[in-house]
Amino acid sequence: MELCFADVGQGSSTIVLLGARRALVVDAGGKQALTVIRLLQHFQIESIERLIITHNHEDHSRGAAEVLTAFSKRIGQVWCVFDDVLLNSFFWRRLTEEVNLQRLRREQIMRLERDERPRSVFNDGDAFLDVI
């Protein structure tokens, strides 16, 4: 497992390389999504197990819309905070479009929210990611 921290302008994106051409992507920047997509291509990533958006400001979520397009039908789950900002975002429009085009199922869209206990976002036996 390797971690990559990508400078995407105002913020950062974290890419967790899981092996077997799989990755987790945490945030994807704003208009700099091409940086994330190029890194994923550089590492020959074929599938994204989890696309995780920590909060719905455009500098974190807009790039995720581009990642959705680039990895259409190759994303296991999308985790994001459900709030008014999400429902009015470019990312939400792309997410909805992916569902309408049947490239993503509603069951693959997960609520990222704090709980009293850690909540598992990903666990394949070798690597795990929890929300604490």
Side-chain angles (χ1 to χ4, degrees):
M1 178 173 62
E2 294 180 61
L3 293 174
C4 296
F5 301 99
D7 180 356
V8 289
Q10 188 173 343
S12 66
S13 174
T14 303
I15 301 169
V16 181
L17 303 172
L18 298 168
R21 299 181 186 231
R22 303 173 306 132
L24 307 176
V25 176
V26 181
D27 294 332
K31 296 178 182 173
Q32 302 85 354
L34 197 51
T35 301
V36 175
I37 293 168
R38 284 185 180 147
L39 271 172
L40 292 167
Q41 291 170 339
H42 172 77
F43 290 111
Q44 300 178 338
I45 298 302
E46 293 177 357
S47 66
I48 297 173
E49 298 294 322
R50 301 292 182 271
L51 176 59
I52 302 162
I53 307 306
T54 59
H55 66 283
N56 295 310
H57 291 158
E58 290 284 314
D59 61 327
H60 291 255
S61 68
R62 186 171 182 91
E66 304 303 325
V67 172
L68 278 171
T69 299
F71 283 83
S72 183
K73 291 187 173 183
R74 296 181 292 149
I75 297 177
Q77 291 180 341
V78 177
W79 288 73
C80 55
V81 177
F82 279 66
D83 61 12
D84 291 339
V85 178
L86 172 68
L87 300 177
N88 294 306
S89 70
F90 179 72
F91 174 63
W92 183 252
R93 287 192 297 274
R94 281 290 304 119
L95 202 54
T96 303
E97 184 177 299
E98 288 293 304
V99 170
N100 290 339
L101 293 171
Q102 298 181 341
R103 295 189 290 223
L104 194 65
R105 295 181 326 277
R106 289 200 185 280
E107 301 82 45
Q108 291 174 270
I109 303 170
M110 310 299 290
R111 296 177 77 93
L112 185 63
E113 54 193 20
R114 207 170 64 179
D115 200 349
E116 296 297 318
R117 301 181 306 263
R119 183 171 177 204
S120 180
V121 172
F122 178 79
N123 186 341
D124 72 352
D126 293 322
F128 69 90
L129 179 63
D130 290 344
V131 174
I132 299 175

